[in-house]
Amino acid sequence: MDTLSLFSLKGKTALITGSGSGIGLALAEGLAGAGAKIILNGRNEQKLVKAKDKLSQNGVETDTLIFDVTDSSAVKESVNNYENQKGPIDILINNAGINIRGPFENFDENEWKKVLETNIDGAMTVSQAVGSFMIKRRAGKIINICSMQSELGRPSIVPYAVSKGGIKMLTKALAAEWGKHNIQTNGIGPGYFETELTIPLRNNPEFDSWLRSRTPASRWGQPKELVGAAVFLASEAGDYVNGHILYVDGGLLASV
């Protein structure tokens, strides 16, 4: 048995939302390394062009879809056009997300809605658009990027924690509903990684010290360390894994 072939993504196409930089781009590079064709997504065309150039220089077949995940009309139009003109989207990674910090007692209502609209509604909209084609083909992989805050609360990020708890349950509910269509829906829960979103935390000596002391690995994660989990869940190796959240956190959840 050729075990490594179970992890091959050759012949597959993966759409990764919010993939112009950070974790999304790292996942794009990782899935490309396993043989997948990549569709980069984001709102910033210049950032996507730069990311595409980076992948193309490494011989990766790459397309871009420029849309905001909160714009349901743009999402559906972009996905429909791609499916009808270029071919199937076999793998969807719902990575696009934002975080706005602030004390809950006076957190702005519009900012609350913005976080939930991006993090939950966005994943729902893209999953519907791509999932409708996956259902027809009776095949597909959906990976939702969850978080430590899918399980844990922290001061100053109540809306983010609420949204990531919702993404965890979206993952489980879709697994229950779409499993009959041979669609596997799983999640990856990153711990604390060195990304643009965590700069304020990494620049806070008190939090940095706390994190290192409470994480068995004693360090922040690197985005490339999420690649193995993504390839596993996107590949044939994960065909009987459904509704699972795979936490990649250096052991944090096990020790807190």
PDB file of all heavy atoms in Angstrom, residues 131 134-140 142 171-185 239-243:
ATOM      1  N   GLY A 131     -20.789  24.384  -1.690  1.00  0.00           N
ATOM      2  CA  GLY A 131     -21.419  23.124  -1.290  1.00  0.00           C
ATOM      3  C   GLY A 131     -22.500  22.657  -2.236  1.00  0.00           C
ATOM      4  O   GLY A 131     -22.699  21.447  -2.403  1.00  0.00           O
ATOM      5  N   MET A 134     -20.744  20.665  -4.710  1.00  0.00           N
ATOM      6  CA  MET A 134     -20.222  19.441  -4.101  1.00  0.00           C
ATOM      7  C   MET A 134     -21.329  18.402  -3.929  1.00  0.00           C
ATOM      8  O   MET A 134     -21.114  17.202  -4.130  1.00  0.00           O
ATOM      9  CB  MET A 134     -19.599  19.756  -2.744  1.00  0.00           C
ATOM     10  CG  MET A 134     -18.301  20.544  -2.805  1.00  0.00           C
ATOM     11  SD  MET A 134     -17.645  20.867  -1.129  1.00  0.00           S
ATOM     12  CE  MET A 134     -16.021  21.544  -1.525  1.00  0.00           C
ATOM     13  N   ILE A 135     -22.513  18.872  -3.560  1.00  0.00           N
ATOM     14  CA  ILE A 135     -23.651  17.962  -3.382  1.00  0.00           C
ATOM     15  C   ILE A 135     -23.987  17.268  -4.701  1.00  0.00           C
ATOM     16  O   ILE A 135     -24.232  16.052  -4.741  1.00  0.00           O
ATOM     17  CB  ILE A 135     -24.869  18.731  -2.829  1.00  0.00           C
ATOM     18  CG1 ILE A 135     -24.631  19.112  -1.355  1.00  0.00           C
ATOM     19  CG2 ILE A 135     -26.147  17.896  -2.954  1.00  0.00           C
ATOM     20  CD1 ILE A 135     -25.682  20.042  -0.783  1.00  0.00           C
ATOM     21  N   LYS A 136     -23.988  18.025  -5.792  1.00  0.00           N
ATOM     22  CA  LYS A 136     -24.284  17.442  -7.099  1.00  0.00           C
ATOM     23  C   LYS A 136     -23.252  16.390  -7.496  1.00  0.00           C
ATOM     24  O   LYS A 136     -23.586  15.375  -8.105  1.00  0.00           O
ATOM     25  CB  LYS A 136     -24.340  18.545  -8.162  1.00  0.00           C
ATOM     26  CG  LYS A 136     -25.500  19.517  -7.992  1.00  0.00           C
ATOM     27  CD  LYS A 136     -25.404  20.642  -9.010  1.00  0.00           C
ATOM     28  CE  LYS A 136     -26.514  21.669  -8.784  1.00  0.00           C
ATOM     29  NZ  LYS A 136     -26.402  22.819  -9.721  1.00  0.00           N
ATOM     30  N   ARG A 137     -21.990  16.644  -7.123  1.00  0.00           N
ATOM     31  CA  ARG A 137     -20.916  15.705  -7.475  1.00  0.00           C
ATOM     32  C   ARG A 137     -20.778  14.575  -6.462  1.00  0.00           C
ATOM     33  O   ARG A 137     -20.049  13.621  -6.687  1.00  0.00           O
ATOM     34  CB  ARG A 137     -19.577  16.446  -7.557  1.00  0.00           C
ATOM     35  CG  ARG A 137     -19.444  17.348  -8.752  1.00  0.00           C
ATOM     36  CD  ARG A 137     -18.018  17.843  -8.912  1.00  0.00           C
ATOM     37  NE  ARG A 137     -17.607  18.754  -7.841  1.00  0.00           N
ATOM     38  CZ  ARG A 137     -17.753  20.071  -7.891  1.00  0.00           C
ATOM     39  NH1 ARG A 137     -18.297  20.640  -8.942  1.00  0.00           N
ATOM     40  NH2 ARG A 137     -17.345  20.821  -6.886  1.00  0.00           N
ATOM     41  N   ARG A 138     -21.442  14.709  -5.329  1.00  0.00           N
ATOM     42  CA  ARG A 138     -21.325  13.770  -4.222  1.00  0.00           C
ATOM     43  C   ARG A 138     -19.864  13.588  -3.790  1.00  0.00           C
ATOM     44  O   ARG A 138     -19.381  12.482  -3.555  1.00  0.00           O
ATOM     45  CB  ARG A 138     -21.930  12.397  -4.589  1.00  0.00           C
ATOM     46  CG  ARG A 138     -23.441  12.415  -4.716  1.00  0.00           C
ATOM     47  CD  ARG A 138     -24.023  11.019  -4.727  1.00  0.00           C
ATOM     48  NE  ARG A 138     -23.581  10.218  -3.591  1.00  0.00           N
ATOM     49  CZ  ARG A 138     -24.074  10.334  -2.341  1.00  0.00           C
ATOM     50  NH1 ARG A 138     -25.015  11.230  -2.076  1.00  0.00           N
ATOM     51  NH2 ARG A 138     -23.611   9.551  -1.379  1.00  0.00           N
ATOM     52  N   ALA A 139     -19.190  14.736  -3.618  1.00  0.00           N
ATOM     53  CA  ALA A 139     -17.798  14.710  -3.163  1.00  0.00           C
ATOM     54  C   ALA A 139     -17.371  16.124  -2.792  1.00  0.00           C
ATOM     55  O   ALA A 139     -17.692  17.081  -3.512  1.00  0.00           O
ATOM     56  CB  ALA A 139     -16.875  14.160  -4.245  1.00  0.00           C
ATOM     57  N   GLY A 140     -16.660  16.226  -1.683  1.00  0.00           N
ATOM     58  CA  GLY A 140     -16.129  17.533  -1.312  1.00  0.00           C
ATOM     59  C   GLY A 140     -15.532  17.541   0.073  1.00  0.00           C
ATOM     60  O   GLY A 140     -15.872  16.708   0.918  1.00  0.00           O
ATOM     61  N   ILE A 142     -14.671  20.362   3.165  1.00  0.00           N
ATOM     62  CA  ILE A 142     -14.773  21.722   3.701  1.00  0.00           C
ATOM     63  C   ILE A 142     -14.003  21.764   5.014  1.00  0.00           C
ATOM     64  O   ILE A 142     -14.203  20.920   5.894  1.00  0.00           O
ATOM     65  CB  ILE A 142     -16.240  22.130   3.936  1.00  0.00           C
ATOM     66  CG1 ILE A 142     -17.011  22.137   2.613  1.00  0.00           C
ATOM     67  CG2 ILE A 142     -16.313  23.505   4.597  1.00  0.00           C
ATOM     68  CD1 ILE A 142     -18.498  22.406   2.762  1.00  0.00           C
ATOM     69  N   THR A 171     -19.420  23.679  11.718  1.00  0.00           N
ATOM     70  CA  THR A 171     -18.669  22.512  11.258  1.00  0.00           C
ATOM     71  C   THR A 171     -19.395  21.220  11.601  1.00  0.00           C
ATOM     72  O   THR A 171     -19.572  20.334  10.753  1.00  0.00           O
ATOM     73  CB  THR A 171     -17.264  22.511  11.902  1.00  0.00           C
ATOM     74  OG1 THR A 171     -16.584  23.716  11.540  1.00  0.00           O
ATOM     75  CG2 THR A 171     -16.460  21.301  11.449  1.00  0.00           C
ATOM     76  N   LYS A 172     -19.814  21.094  12.833  1.00  0.00           N
ATOM     77  CA  LYS A 172     -20.472  19.861  13.278  1.00  0.00           C
ATOM     78  C   LYS A 172     -21.841  19.688  12.615  1.00  0.00           C
ATOM     79  O   LYS A 172     -22.218  18.580  12.209  1.00  0.00           O
ATOM     80  CB  LYS A 172     -20.599  19.876  14.808  1.00  0.00           C
ATOM     81  CG  LYS A 172     -19.257  19.760  15.520  1.00  0.00           C
ATOM     82  CD  LYS A 172     -19.433  19.798  17.036  1.00  0.00           C
ATOM     83  CE  LYS A 172     -18.099  19.620  17.745  1.00  0.00           C
ATOM     84  NZ  LYS A 172     -17.539  18.268  17.560  1.00  0.00           N
ATOM     85  N   ALA A 173     -22.581  20.789  12.501  1.00  0.00           N
ATOM     86  CA  ALA A 173     -23.917  20.702  11.912  1.00  0.00           C
ATOM     87  C   ALA A 173     -23.850  20.358  10.425  1.00  0.00           C
ATOM     88  O   ALA A 173     -24.664  19.566   9.923  1.00  0.00           O
ATOM     89  CB  ALA A 173     -24.672  22.012  12.127  1.00  0.00           C
ATOM     90  N   LEU A 174     -22.895  20.952   9.701  1.00  0.00           N
ATOM     91  CA  LEU A 174     -22.747  20.622   8.284  1.00  0.00           C
ATOM     92  C   LEU A 174     -22.301  19.178   8.093  1.00  0.00           C
ATOM     93  O   LEU A 174     -22.726  18.507   7.154  1.00  0.00           O
ATOM     94  CB  LEU A 174     -21.745  21.567   7.619  1.00  0.00           C
ATOM     95  CG  LEU A 174     -22.268  22.908   7.123  1.00  0.00           C
ATOM     96  CD1 LEU A 174     -21.169  23.669   6.402  1.00  0.00           C
ATOM     97  CD2 LEU A 174     -23.472  22.736   6.201  1.00  0.00           C
ATOM     98  N   ALA A 175     -21.432  18.709   8.999  1.00  0.00           N
ATOM     99  CA  ALA A 175     -21.013  17.300   8.918  1.00  0.00           C
ATOM    100  C   ALA A 175     -22.219  16.385   9.053  1.00  0.00           C
ATOM    101  O   ALA A 175     -22.347  15.388   8.334  1.00  0.00           O
ATOM    102  CB  ALA A 175     -19.989  17.001  10.011  1.00  0.00           C
ATOM    103  N   ALA A 176     -23.113  16.746   9.964  1.00  0.00           N
ATOM    104  CA  ALA A 176     -24.300  15.924  10.193  1.00  0.00           C
ATOM    105  C   ALA A 176     -25.261  15.974   9.005  1.00  0.00           C
ATOM    106  O   ALA A 176     -25.879  14.962   8.645  1.00  0.00           O
ATOM    107  CB  ALA A 176     -25.016  16.393  11.461  1.00  0.00           C
ATOM    108  N   GLU A 177     -25.380  17.139   8.377  1.00  0.00           N
ATOM    109  CA  GLU A 177     -26.359  17.296   7.304  1.00  0.00           C
ATOM    110  C   GLU A 177     -25.827  16.881   5.928  1.00  0.00           C
ATOM    111  O   GLU A 177     -26.560  16.311   5.118  1.00  0.00           O
ATOM    112  CB  GLU A 177     -26.832  18.755   7.237  1.00  0.00           C
ATOM    113  CG  GLU A 177     -27.914  18.989   6.201  1.00  0.00           C
ATOM    114  CD  GLU A 177     -28.660  20.294   6.397  1.00  0.00           C
ATOM    115  OE1 GLU A 177     -28.728  20.774   7.554  1.00  0.00           O
ATOM    116  OE2 GLU A 177     -29.174  20.831   5.405  1.00  0.00           O
ATOM    117  N   TRP A 178     -24.550  17.161   5.672  1.00  0.00           N
ATOM    118  CA  TRP A 178     -24.011  16.902   4.331  1.00  0.00           C
ATOM    119  C   TRP A 178     -23.171  15.640   4.241  1.00  0.00           C
ATOM    120  O   TRP A 178     -22.690  15.288   3.162  1.00  0.00           O
ATOM    121  CB  TRP A 178     -23.175  18.094   3.867  1.00  0.00           C
ATOM    122  CG  TRP A 178     -24.006  19.279   3.448  1.00  0.00           C
ATOM    123  CD1 TRP A 178     -25.372  19.339   3.421  1.00  0.00           C
ATOM    124  CD2 TRP A 178     -23.532  20.547   2.995  1.00  0.00           C
ATOM    125  NE1 TRP A 178     -25.785  20.576   2.978  1.00  0.00           N
ATOM    126  CE2 TRP A 178     -24.676  21.344   2.714  1.00  0.00           C
ATOM    127  CE3 TRP A 178     -22.271  21.094   2.807  1.00  0.00           C
ATOM    128  CZ2 TRP A 178     -24.576  22.651   2.251  1.00  0.00           C
ATOM    129  CZ3 TRP A 178     -22.164  22.401   2.342  1.00  0.00           C
ATOM    130  CH2 TRP A 178     -23.302  23.172   2.064  1.00  0.00           C
ATOM    131  N   GLY A 179     -22.997  14.927   5.341  1.00  0.00           N
ATOM    132  CA  GLY A 179     -22.232  13.685   5.290  1.00  0.00           C
ATOM    133  C   GLY A 179     -22.832  12.684   4.315  1.00  0.00           C
ATOM    134  O   GLY A 179     -22.113  11.926   3.662  1.00  0.00           O
ATOM    135  N   LYS A 180     -24.145  12.691   4.193  1.00  0.00           N
ATOM    136  CA  LYS A 180     -24.816  11.749   3.288  1.00  0.00           C
ATOM    137  C   LYS A 180     -24.471  12.020   1.826  1.00  0.00           C
ATOM    138  O   LYS A 180     -24.693  11.169   0.960  1.00  0.00           O
ATOM    139  CB  LYS A 180     -26.332  11.831   3.492  1.00  0.00           C
ATOM    140  CG  LYS A 180     -26.937  13.172   3.129  1.00  0.00           C
ATOM    141  CD  LYS A 180     -28.415  13.244   3.502  1.00  0.00           C
ATOM    142  CE  LYS A 180     -28.998  14.609   3.183  1.00  0.00           C
ATOM    143  NZ  LYS A 180     -30.424  14.703   3.611  1.00  0.00           N
ATOM    144  N   HIS A 181     -23.936  13.218   1.552  1.00  0.00           N
ATOM    145  CA  HIS A 181     -23.545  13.567   0.178  1.00  0.00           C
ATOM    146  C   HIS A 181     -22.055  13.303  -0.056  1.00  0.00           C
ATOM    147  O   HIS A 181     -21.500  13.761  -1.055  1.00  0.00           O
ATOM    148  CB  HIS A 181     -23.834  15.046  -0.090  1.00  0.00           C
ATOM    149  CG  HIS A 181     -25.275  15.424   0.065  1.00  0.00           C
ATOM    150  ND1 HIS A 181     -26.274  14.881  -0.718  1.00  0.00           N
ATOM    151  CD2 HIS A 181     -25.884  16.292   0.920  1.00  0.00           C
ATOM    152  CE1 HIS A 181     -27.440  15.403  -0.359  1.00  0.00           C
ATOM    153  NE2 HIS A 181     -27.232  16.255   0.629  1.00  0.00           N
ATOM    154  N   ASN A 182     -21.413  12.589   0.868  1.00  0.00           N
ATOM    155  CA  ASN A 182     -19.976  12.320   0.778  1.00  0.00           C
ATOM    156  C   ASN A 182     -19.153  13.601   0.839  1.00  0.00           C
ATOM    157  O   ASN A 182     -18.134  13.758   0.167  1.00  0.00           O
ATOM    158  CB  ASN A 182     -19.627  11.535  -0.493  1.00  0.00           C
ATOM    159  CG  ASN A 182     -18.194  11.005  -0.474  1.00  0.00           C
ATOM    160  OD1 ASN A 182     -17.664  10.665   0.582  1.00  0.00           O
ATOM    161  ND2 ASN A 182     -17.569  10.957  -1.631  1.00  0.00           N
ATOM    162  N   ILE A 183     -19.624  14.530   1.656  1.00  0.00           N
ATOM    163  CA  ILE A 183     -18.884  15.761   1.934  1.00  0.00           C
ATOM    164  C   ILE A 183     -18.407  15.700   3.373  1.00  0.00           C
ATOM    165  O   ILE A 183     -19.208  15.502   4.289  1.00  0.00           O
ATOM    166  CB  ILE A 183     -19.774  17.010   1.722  1.00  0.00           C
ATOM    167  CG1 ILE A 183     -20.232  17.105   0.264  1.00  0.00           C
ATOM    168  CG2 ILE A 183     -19.026  18.280   2.146  1.00  0.00           C
ATOM    169  CD1 ILE A 183     -21.277  18.178   0.024  1.00  0.00           C
ATOM    170  N   GLN A 184     -17.103  15.853   3.560  1.00  0.00           N
ATOM    171  CA  GLN A 184     -16.554  15.858   4.909  1.00  0.00           C
ATOM    172  C   GLN A 184     -16.284  17.311   5.324  1.00  0.00           C
ATOM    173  O   GLN A 184     -15.570  18.043   4.628  1.00  0.00           O
ATOM    174  CB  GLN A 184     -15.248  15.052   4.982  1.00  0.00           C
ATOM    175  CG  GLN A 184     -15.437  13.551   4.797  1.00  0.00           C
ATOM    176  CD  GLN A 184     -15.557  13.151   3.337  1.00  0.00           C
ATOM    177  OE1 GLN A 184     -14.725  13.522   2.506  1.00  0.00           O
ATOM    178  NE2 GLN A 184     -16.595  12.400   3.005  1.00  0.00           N
ATOM    179  N   THR A 185     -16.867  17.703   6.449  1.00  0.00           N
ATOM    180  CA  THR A 185     -16.702  19.057   6.969  1.00  0.00           C
ATOM    181  C   THR A 185     -15.995  18.977   8.310  1.00  0.00           C
ATOM    182  O   THR A 185     -16.516  18.397   9.269  1.00  0.00           O
ATOM    183  CB  THR A 185     -18.061  19.758   7.149  1.00  0.00           C
ATOM    184  OG1 THR A 185     -18.806  19.708   5.923  1.00  0.00           O
ATOM    185  CG2 THR A 185     -17.861  21.210   7.555  1.00  0.00           C
ATOM    186  N   ASP A 239     -11.005  10.762   4.621  1.00  0.00           N
ATOM    187  CA  ASP A 239     -12.330  10.463   4.079  1.00  0.00           C
ATOM    188  C   ASP A 239     -13.353  10.030   5.128  1.00  0.00           C
ATOM    189  O   ASP A 239     -14.555  10.194   4.917  1.00  0.00           O
ATOM    190  CB  ASP A 239     -12.229   9.371   3.001  1.00  0.00           C
ATOM    191  CG  ASP A 239     -11.826   9.921   1.651  1.00  0.00           C
ATOM    192  OD1 ASP A 239     -11.686  11.159   1.524  1.00  0.00           O
ATOM    193  OD2 ASP A 239     -11.627   9.114   0.713  1.00  0.00           O
ATOM    194  N   TYR A 240     -12.894   9.452   6.237  1.00  0.00           N
ATOM    195  CA  TYR A 240     -13.852   8.992   7.249  1.00  0.00           C
ATOM    196  C   TYR A 240     -13.777   9.863   8.507  1.00  0.00           C
ATOM    197  O   TYR A 240     -14.237   9.485   9.579  1.00  0.00           O
ATOM    198  CB  TYR A 240     -13.593   7.523   7.603  1.00  0.00           C
ATOM    199  CG  TYR A 240     -14.798   6.821   8.200  1.00  0.00           C
ATOM    200  CD1 TYR A 240     -15.999   6.744   7.514  1.00  0.00           C
ATOM    201  CD2 TYR A 240     -14.731   6.225   9.464  1.00  0.00           C
ATOM    202  CE1 TYR A 240     -17.106   6.111   8.057  1.00  0.00           C
ATOM    203  CE2 TYR A 240     -15.823   5.585  10.023  1.00  0.00           C
ATOM    204  CZ  TYR A 240     -17.009   5.525   9.314  1.00  0.00           C
ATOM    205  OH  TYR A 240     -18.100   4.889   9.869  1.00  0.00           O
ATOM    206  N   VAL A 241     -13.214  11.051   8.345  1.00  0.00           N
ATOM    207  CA  VAL A 241     -13.167  12.031   9.437  1.00  0.00           C
ATOM    208  C   VAL A 241     -14.189  13.110   9.107  1.00  0.00           C
ATOM    209  O   VAL A 241     -14.099  13.762   8.063  1.00  0.00           O
ATOM    210  CB  VAL A 241     -11.760  12.646   9.578  1.00  0.00           C
ATOM    211  CG1 VAL A 241     -11.726  13.646  10.728  1.00  0.00           C
ATOM    212  CG2 VAL A 241     -10.722  11.550   9.800  1.00  0.00           C
ATOM    213  N   ASN A 242     -15.166  13.307   9.976  1.00  0.00           N
ATOM    214  CA  ASN A 242     -16.239  14.254   9.686  1.00  0.00           C
ATOM    215  C   ASN A 242     -16.751  14.862  10.983  1.00  0.00           C
ATOM    216  O   ASN A 242     -17.009  14.151  11.955  1.00  0.00           O
ATOM    217  CB  ASN A 242     -17.380  13.540   8.951  1.00  0.00           C
ATOM    218  CG  ASN A 242     -18.223  14.489   8.115  1.00  0.00           C
ATOM    219  OD1 ASN A 242     -17.882  15.654   7.944  1.00  0.00           O
ATOM    220  ND2 ASN A 242     -19.323  13.996   7.580  1.00  0.00           N
ATOM    221  N   GLY A 243     -16.852  16.195  10.991  1.00  0.00           N
ATOM    222  CA  GLY A 243     -17.354  16.890  12.168  1.00  0.00           C
ATOM    223  C   GLY A 243     -16.328  17.042  13.277  1.00  0.00           C
ATOM    224  O   GLY A 243     -16.668  17.338  14.418  1.00  0.00           O
TER     225      GLY A 243
END
